Amino acid sequence: MAFQGKKLINNPNDVVTEFIEGLVETYQGLQYLDGFPEVKVVLRADVSGATYDKVAVISGGGSGHEPAQAGYVGEGLLTASICGDVFASPTVDSILAGIRAVTGPMGCLLVVTNYTGDRLNFGLAAEQARSEGYKIETVIVGDDCALPKSQGIAGRRGLAGTILVNKVAGAVAAAGLSLADVASEAKRASEVVGTMGVALSVCTLPGQVTSDRLGSGKMELGLGIHGEPGAAVADLQPVDVVVTHVLKQILESNYVPITRGNRVVVMINGLGATPVMELMIAAGKTVPKLQLEFGLLVERVYTGSFMTSLDMKGFSISIMKVDQTLLQHLDASTKAPHWPVGSAGNRPPAKTPVPLPSSRSMKSDELLSRPLQLTEQGHILEVAIEAAVNAIINMRDILNDWDSTIGDGDCGSAMYKGATAILDDMKKYYPLNNAAETVNEIGSSVRRAMGGTSGVLYTIFCKAAYAQLKANSDSTVTAKQWAEALEAAVAAVSKYGGASTGYRTLLDALIPALAVLKEVIQNSSLSLLFFINDV
């Protein structure tokens, strides 16, 4: 069943021109030719064909693939982008207008994707421009690896690999090289890049209905960026399996001369409606497979949505074989707003050990284990901890019942987990003769065992109390110091939890308890003082 697609647009016929207007408002280095609606050309604002002293690099094609190609206009990449209507090749007049606007004495390179309409219209425009005296070269990019080579090359469409070719051409042109050199390097790049796409849905054109060609639980392998049917439809598989299939298709298709030991760059490209999370998952599976299974040295990884298909769900993978020269072209600076920046230089290991707190790394083994012999303070602390956690364990059902009247009814269960973890860990790890470190370990037990907000709050409570107790250099902790630790803990819970007295949180129990403790300590001190004075 088809249904009307939802789009945030005005008139479906105006989407391309309105996109261009928004683009140039966003990026001050861009302009467009004032020829709407027939002429839709985005160009560098700092370039005039009459005075431009470098090779102009122009690409383009049907719209709907944003940010390609208009988002790659800028110093060091494209000089202009020719925009057709959605999924339609730009007109010859638009292409000619773009050539005339930015081409100077050094000439112009046209980077054309391998679609019949693009080849014909750009080709005719190139011939017309030559007849007008412009120096023009053309490079055709067909990086699609979805179809077996035995079926011929006519179906090799220009996909996301075109962006890498554009970047190479733009870097060479920005360096001031000749048109022949720019064309030669762009052609060389186009011959060593392969791409294949996978989609979970088809796209919806503005003002049209959404097709359900794929149906539920299906994916399409090797489809085109205009919604063309792919090489095959299959059951939806985990991304690990999908990535393996795509890499094998690219590297074993004999379309690209990539063999074990080669250096490559990789582009993981979203097709328009693929979340960044899913693209990163695909990237995380792609790189290790290329390195370990195919023996390739991955030099750069570009992940994001670079050449889309409106709102299509899916991604494509492009792999380009590189040498040091091509790598330098890809790394060369550019002001194009949507060029993906990959980290240059040697790739560090993907993971590094989790650092331990310096205080923990300096603790002795004895401090991190239960003492063989408890001091009087250690014994008192153990008895107090046992009494507290057993009280919580025994109240699990009551606490759950209370919580069910105002919440989700799991308070008792969560505290039960924390209490049992404390009881188990105390028998093995707690340095009971050291009160501060014991409180710290209680916080670690709670953090590990308890989930939700309460677990975090109790951990904060313990960590703040630990910091206060640790400031005491004496081995014995006095009642006054315990009260100070409780006060610090209550203040931390209030600070990070954002609550105070009357908010109906655990602070409504802790704050009165602190007040009573301080009052008891004060009265005990006064009684002792009166006793000493009487004597």
Side-chain angles (χ1 to χ4, degrees):
M1 181 181 67
F3 56 90
Q4 185 70 39
K6 295 181 180 180
K7 299 285 184 181
L8 292 170
I9 61 173
N10 295 307
N11 188 328
N13 297 322
D14 297 334
V15 292
V16 178
T17 57
E18 291 184 350
F19 155 72
I20 291 173
E21 289 170 338
L23 183 73
V24 300
E25 290 290 353
T26 303
Y27 302 106
Q28 295 183 357
L30 304 182
Q31 287 182 326
Y32 64 87
L33 294 181
D34 187 12
F36 289 164
E38 292 80 11
V39 174
K40 295 182 278 289
V41 177
V42 177
L43 64 157
R44 285 173 52 181
D46 61 337
V47 170
S48 171
T51 58
Y52 192 49
D53 59 355
K54 294 179 180 178
V55 172
V57 179
I58 296 177
S59 189
S63 297
H65 308 300
E66 292 72 29
Q69 297 288 343
Y72 303 112
V73 174
E75 183 181 345
L77 222 158
L78 297 180
T79 320
S81 171
I82 319 299
C83 305
D85 289 330
V86 175
F87 294 172
S89 177
T91 64
V92 174
D93 288 342
S94 289
I95 300 167
L96 274 171
I99 293 172
R100 294 166 181 155
V102 298
T103 304
M106 293 288 285
C108 173
L109 173 68
L110 301 177
V111 182
V112 184
T113 51
N114 189 29
Y115 298 95
T116 302
D118 289 346
R119 293 184 65 137
L120 293 177
N121 287 351
F122 275 89
L124 179 53
E127 292 303 317
Q128 176 63 33
R130 288 191 186 99
S131 72
E132 296 176 10
Y134 293 101
K135 294 191 291 184
I136 305 291
E137 292 290 343
T138 302
V139 170
I140 308 294
V141 182
D143 52 316
D144 186 6
C145 295
L147 300 176
K149 199 167 186 178
S150 60
Q151 296 185 19
I153 62 173
R156 290 202 71 197
R157 299 158 291 198
L159 302 177
T162 308
I163 298 168
L164 300 173
V165 176
N166 286 341
K167 180 62 175 67
V168 170
V172 180
L177 276 69
S178 68
L179 176 59
D181 289 333
V182 175
S184 175
E185 279 296 272
K187 186 174 187 299
R188 184 166 77 95
S190 72
E191 293 171 345
V192 292
V193 60
T195 300
M196 181 174 172
V198 177
L200 308 184
S201 71
V202 297
C203 56
T204 305
L205 274 66
Q208 298 189 18
V209 297
T210 301
S211 168
D212 63 346
R213 185 179 76 215
L214 286 184
S216 176
K218 298 293 183 179
M219 63 181 182
E220 198 159 24
L221 306 171
L223 77 171
I225 54 173
H226 303 100
E228 311 98 309
V233 175
D235 292 335
L236 182 62
Q237 299 290 325
V239 70
D240 204 16
V241 176
V242 176
V243 165
T244 297
H245 175 81
V246 172
L247 296 183
K248 286 183 177 180
Q249 184 67 24
I250 295 173
L251 297 172
E252 297 176 2
S253 64
N254 296 320
Y255 275 129
V256 287
I258 300 176
T259 57
R260 186 171 291 271
N262 286 161
R263 304 164 70 188
V264 298
V265 298
V266 182
M267 175 174 281
I268 311 296
N269 171 59
L271 296 178
T274 310
V276 172
M277 175 184 287
E278 295 177 23
L279 293 177
M280 290 300 174
I281 292 172
K285 300 303 178 184
T286 297
V287 175
K289 288 180 185 294
L290 287 175
Q291 293 172 326
L292 300 177
E293 297 180 22
F294 295 94
L296 301 175
L297 177 59
V298 179
E299 296 281 5
R300 304 287 185 273
V301 180
Y302 309 107
T303 302
S305 293
F306 308 122
M307 179 179 278
T308 64
S309 183
L310 293 171
D311 56 354
M312 184 180 289
K313 294 180 180 179
F315 68 93
S316 65
I317 299 177
S318 299
I319 307 172
M320 174 183 275
K321 177 183 175 181
V322 295
D323 54 21
Q324 192 58 35
T325 301
L326 285 178
L327 206 56
Q328 288 173 351
H329 297 332
L330 293 172
D331 288 342
S333 63
T334 175
K335 293 182 180 179
H338 285 279
W339 168 250
V341 178
S343 58
N346 296 328
R347 291 172 57 82
K351 57 184 178 182
T352 187
V354 175
L356 292 174
S358 57
S359 59
R360 176 173 288 276
S361 64
M362 292 186 295
K363 292 178 182 178
S364 66
D365 291 338
E366 180 180 358
L367 198 59
L368 289 174
S369 61
R370 180 185 174 90
L372 297 176
Q373 186 70 36
L374 292 180
T375 63
E376 181 181 2
Q377 177 181 262
H379 178 69
I380 294 173
L381 190 55
E382 179 183 40
V383 171
I385 293 172
E386 285 183 343
V389 297
N390 283 327
I392 292 172
I393 290 171
N394 293 332
M395 291 186 66
R396 176 180 59 179
D397 294 339
I398 296 175
L399 291 173
N400 279 339
D401 185 53
W402 289 349
D403 188 35
S404 65
T405 62
I406 57 172
D408 50 10
D410 67 345
C411 177
S413 298
M415 296 189 71
Y416 176 87
K417 291 179 182 179
T420 54
I422 291 171
L423 204 55
D424 292 341
D425 291 348
M426 183 174 66
K427 298 173 182 177
K428 305 172 186 177
Y429 308 119
Y430 288 4
L432 293 163
N433 291 340
N434 187 313
E437 295 297 340
T438 298
V439 171
N440 190 38
E441 292 303 319
I442 291 174
S444 298
S445 299
V446 169
R447 182 175 60 185
R448 173 177 54 82
M450 291 182 66
T453 303
S454 60
V456 177
L457 288 173
Y458 290 132
T459 304
I460 290 173
F461 179 92
C462 291
K463 294 300 179 181
Y466 163 69
Q468 182 65 34
L469 290 171
K470 192 177 179 182
N472 173 38
S473 59
D474 297 333
S475 58
T476 302
V477 179
T478 66
K480 181 175 183 294
Q481 289 164 343
W482 277 115
E484 291 170 349
L486 177 58
E487 187 170 19
V490 170
V493 170
S494 178
K495 173 183 177 181
Y496 294 108
S500 58
T501 303
Y503 280 56
R504 294 188 295 179
T505 68
L506 55 83
L507 291 173
D508 284 343
L510 290 174
I511 292 174
L514 173 61
V516 170
L517 177 60
K518 293 168 72 173
E519 181 180 352
V520 168
I521 293 173
Q522 178 67 20
N523 291 339
S524 298
S525 299
L526 289 174
S527 298
L528 179 59
L529 180 60
F530 292 150
F531 174 76
I532 293 174
N533 289 336
D534 290 342
V535 173

